[in-house]
Amino acid sequence: MDMLTILNRGRACLACRTKKRRCDGVRPICTPCMQSKRGHLCVFDAAPARDAPNMKRRIKELDGLVKNAKDAAGPSKSQEPTPISKLVSVSKPQPRPPLPMNAAAPTAVALGDPQIEWWKDGSAVPLSIRDSLIDLCMRYSWHFSWHLNFRMLKARFELPQDHPDAPHPALLYAVLLVGCIYTPSPLQCYEPIFLQRARRHLSQLLGTGTKMFDFLCASTLVGSHLYGKGRMREGHYHISAAARFAVGCGLHQIGSLSLDAQVPSALLFPCLELAELGDRITIFWELVCFDRVGSIFLDVPATIADKEVTTLWPCPSTYYEDGRAYTQTTGSIQMLNDPKRLRLARGDSFVALRQKAVILLARTTSLSARVKSGDPEDTALMGEISLNCQCTQAFVESLPAFHVQEGEAEDLDAARALLSVAFVSAYSAVIQAYGMAPKIDYAARDVQSDAAKRAIVIVKEIDLMPRCYVPLLIGWSLLPVHEVLVRQHVRATALGQEDARAIQGDIQLVLRVVERIGELFPAIATATADIMTQNTEAVKVEHAKGST
């Protein structure tokens, strides 16, 4: 064995501590566990090494896993997972101390083999698995615009199940469901079980009339997860239902950060601190975001109309904790119709920028569909096109430098990923808007070309991002950029221009980023690639007809 690095006390995995052997602390699986072919038992404890009660509990749990592993060694490796019908509801976890508000960031750990029947005889989801999936969800759920205060949420998960502030099981299973996306272990085969249980508890939760905010959080996670799996209709069912419920709770009318100015609701308790109010603003905008995107793909009306919304733009949860939320741009969705206000807006967080850009792109895409089936002589429609061009261009002009500074987010890579969606969506909105201009408008073509070039600069940044950080919505955002590049390539090839090869390289870059989306969301990557293929064929046919 190679010489192992001597670790600080408490940094070794639990398996090496139990065996009293040296550990190099490599995550997710340390070298000794890898070499002994016991990687499924390599678990790192995020708790302090001197926390004796927690340490004893985790070692006792690990001993149980070792015993189960030995018992399961006899059957064939092709042993089937436990059938869903044999799995029982998770019992409540043992009480544990509340999570300190200054706890370290979540750490992904190696998960065990789900072939071992952990859930037989009514046993609870093992804490090592439960906590690992919770941490993974909290680390990567920004893909779904989930920017809740995770310190507060994790403290709730540490409470006994019978505590009045403990999260409802519907929220627990929704979190575990999303966490499964980001683990490379075989535990992913239990996603259907978590989905089934989350849905069952959501139905029960509606009947109780309590913990309605947990209902909203769980519904948005379940719906977003289904979107990520390419199950758009099922996802939209949960998202649109939760969106209507959010309106019933008054979350569409949070026009002030003052706790005294809250709209009374019979379904939700008043917020006692700004962080709680921030979570409500965040959930509302997540619902708006995915409701708009889903309605476009399914060709159905959006659940929440713009004229109903007065809720302030969202910002990172830390902004609500330290008061920076008070310094953010005021206003709501109506400002997207005012080019002057858009140009003057400065200092938006990456969360607000992403939200504005996604809504602008969704609005422009919907308008483009209306134009294709509308009357070209309709003066009101032409007025909408003109205003849309001004608004999208004004928003692009207001964009800051593509950069995330220390202190803006706990995970800078995640912040950069969200900012990339904002920039690409903004450039694509400009492309869509000016694509509705008359075909003889060569100035519009130049604007589109410039927007595509700027988008490619951001796409190059995305291509360098680590695994798990290629954002979910980037494929949808890139569709207009890809179409413009294909048109440019067809024209350049036909005219024998030298830049045809460079344009082809940009097209391949876009396709490579779409392929990388498939690392986490294969169904979304496949659907996006299919749309791009169809658009390519349509452009070639259109060009052939024009040449003829």
Side-chain angles (χ1 to χ4, degrees):
M1 180 185 296
D2 296 334
M3 181 65 68
L4 297 177
T5 302
I6 298 177
L7 299 177
N8 293 330
R9 189 175 183 85
R11 298 292 185 179
C13 76
L14 296 184
C16 288
R17 292 184 208 171
T18 304
K19 296 290 185 181
K20 299 184 183 302
R21 66 188 177 198
R22 300 176 69 181
C23 177
D24 60 2
V26 174
R27 302 189 183 208
I29 302 175
C30 71
T31 302
C33 288
M34 180 70 75
Q35 292 178 344
S36 63
K37 298 183 179 179
R38 291 180 175 270
H40 60 289
L41 298 178
C42 185
V43 178
F44 288 88
D45 195 343
R50 297 176 183 174
D51 190 351
N54 282 342
M55 181 63 66
K56 291 180 180 179
R57 172 182 57 77
R58 294 297 292 271
I59 292 177
K60 182 178 179 181
E61 177 188 322
L62 183 63
D63 286 339
L65 295 182
V66 172
K67 183 178 182 300
N68 285 337
K70 291 179 179 178
D71 293 341
S76 168
K77 293 182 179 179
S78 61
Q79 176 185 357
E80 293 295 325
T82 306
I84 294 178
S85 60
K86 291 185 179 180
L87 295 175
V88 298
S89 298
V90 174
S91 61
K92 64 182 180 183
Q94 294 299 317
R96 293 188 293 164
L99 182 74
M101 296 303 286
N102 60 349
T107 302
V109 301
L111 303 181
D113 187 349
Q115 305 287 343
I116 301 173
E117 298 181 40
W118 283 317
W119 288 285
K120 66 182 179 181
D121 301 326
S123 58
V125 177
L127 291 177
S128 60
I129 299 302
R130 173 185 177 272
D131 292 349
S132 297
L133 292 180
I134 289 174
D135 285 347
L136 288 169
C137 175
M138 293 181 181
R139 170 173 287 192
Y140 297 116
S141 56
W142 52 264
H143 278 110
F144 306 118
S145 303
W146 228 54
H147 306 289
L148 299 186
N149 189 303
F150 292 135
R151 290 185 179 86
M152 291 171 49
L153 182 59
K154 190 160 187 176
R156 291 184 64 201
F157 277 118
E158 299 292 328
L159 297 172
Q161 190 61 49
D162 56 358
H163 192 284
D165 293 329
H168 194 275
L171 180 55
L172 170 63
Y173 284 119
V175 168
L176 297 180
L177 175 67
V178 171
C180 282
I181 297 174
Y182 305 102
T183 172
S185 79
L187 195 66
Q188 290 179 347
C189 70
Y190 286 98
E191 281 187 60
I193 299 169
F194 293 139
L195 177 59
Q196 181 191 58
R197 291 181 179 179
R199 283 173 157 172
R200 183 176 72 245
H201 283 290
L202 279 172
S203 299
Q204 295 172 356
L205 182 53
L206 276 180
T208 64
T210 60
K211 298 188 177 181
M212 290 294 99
F213 189 66
D214 283 3
F215 170 81
L216 285 172
C217 293
S219 296
T220 51
L221 275 185
V222 170
S224 301
H225 173 272
L226 291 169
Y227 275 164
K229 294 295 180 179
R231 298 161 65 174
M232 300 298 293
R233 292 199 178 278
E234 293 176 81
H236 191 67
Y237 167 80
H238 286 279
I239 293 294
S240 60
R244 287 191 291 269
F245 193 83
V247 170
C249 293
L251 299 191
H252 64 307
Q253 295 179 338
I254 306 177
S256 170
L257 294 180
S258 171
L259 298 181
D260 296 331
Q262 297 178 71
V263 178
S265 171
L267 299 172
L268 295 176
F269 290 113
C271 296
L272 299 180
E273 53 183 308
L274 184 59
E276 290 183 69
L277 188 62
D279 280 354
R280 296 185 182 185
I281 293 173
T282 295
I283 283 295
F284 172 76
W285 282 112
E286 178 188 358
L287 289 168
V288 172
C289 174
F290 278 89
D291 176 61
R292 295 296 168 90
V293 176
S295 65
I296 289 173
F297 276 96
L298 298 174
D299 194 22
V300 296
T303 305
I304 304 175
D306 286 1
K307 61 182 180 182
E308 300 179 78
V309 179
T310 59
T311 297
L312 298 171
W313 295 111
C315 56
S317 62
T318 53
Y319 284 32
Y320 297 108
E321 283 189 309
D322 58 26
R324 279 181 288 175
Y326 292 112
T327 66
Q328 295 300 288
T329 303
T330 58
S332 186
I333 202 168
Q334 286 75 23
M335 71 182 298
L336 298 183
N337 294 319
D338 189 337
K340 184 176 180 181
R341 290 188 66 188
L342 285 172
R343 284 193 180 91
L344 294 176
R346 292 292 186 273
D348 278 336
S349 69
F350 59 90
V351 174
L353 286 173
R354 175 191 179 277
Q355 190 64 56
K356 290 180 180 180
V358 167
I359 292 178
L360 270 174
L361 178 56
R363 177 184 292 181
T364 306
T365 302
S366 298
L367 179 59
S368 178
R370 285 173 49 204
V371 169
K372 290 178 181 178
S373 60
D375 182 3
E377 303 300 325
D378 186 339
T379 55
L381 188 59
M382 294 301 106
E384 284 190 63
I385 294 174
S386 176
L387 178 61
N388 190 257
C389 289
Q390 296 176 51
C391 290
T392 54
Q393 190 68 26
F395 180 67
V396 164
E397 292 172 3
S398 73
L399 289 175
F402 185 78
H403 178 68
V404 180
Q405 296 180 347
E406 292 286 345
E408 287 189 68
E410 294 182 354
D411 188 338
L412 297 182
D413 284 333
R416 291 179 68 251
L418 291 169
L419 198 59
S420 71
V421 174
F423 275 67
V424 174
S425 296
Y427 296 137
S428 288
V430 168
I431 291 171
Q432 284 272 48
Y434 282 83
M436 291 181 278
K439 293 183 179 180
I440 58 173
D441 190 344
Y442 293 102
R445 182 182 294 179
D446 291 340
V447 172
Q448 288 182 305
S449 177
D450 179 67
K453 289 178 181 178
R454 296 189 184 191
I456 287 298
V457 173
I458 306 301
V459 175
K460 291 177 180 178
E461 295 282 344
I462 299 172
D463 191 39
L464 299 175
M465 290 179 179
R467 185 181 185 275
C468 292
Y469 285 92
V470 178
L472 170 62
L473 285 181
I474 199 65
W476 170 67
S477 302
L478 280 172
L479 290 174
V481 176
H482 176 264
E483 185 172 348
V484 165
L485 292 175
V486 170
R487 291 183 183 280
Q488 291 177 344
H489 183 260
V490 169
R491 286 197 299 266
T493 302
L495 297 174
Q497 296 175 346
E498 296 181 358
D499 59 349
R501 180 174 297 180
I503 297 172
Q504 181 61 35
D506 291 340
I507 294 174
Q508 293 302 319
L509 172 64
V510 170
L511 295 177
R512 185 164 64 248
V513 167
V514 171
E515 184 178 350
R516 290 200 59 199
I517 297 173
E519 294 173 0
L520 290 177
F521 308 102
I524 296 298
T526 300
T528 304
D530 289 344
I531 294 173
M532 289 182 172
T533 300
Q534 295 170 11
N535 289 344
T536 299
E537 295 303 319
V539 169
K540 291 179 178 179
V541 170
E542 178 184 316
H543 181 78
K545 290 182 178 179
S547 300
T548 303

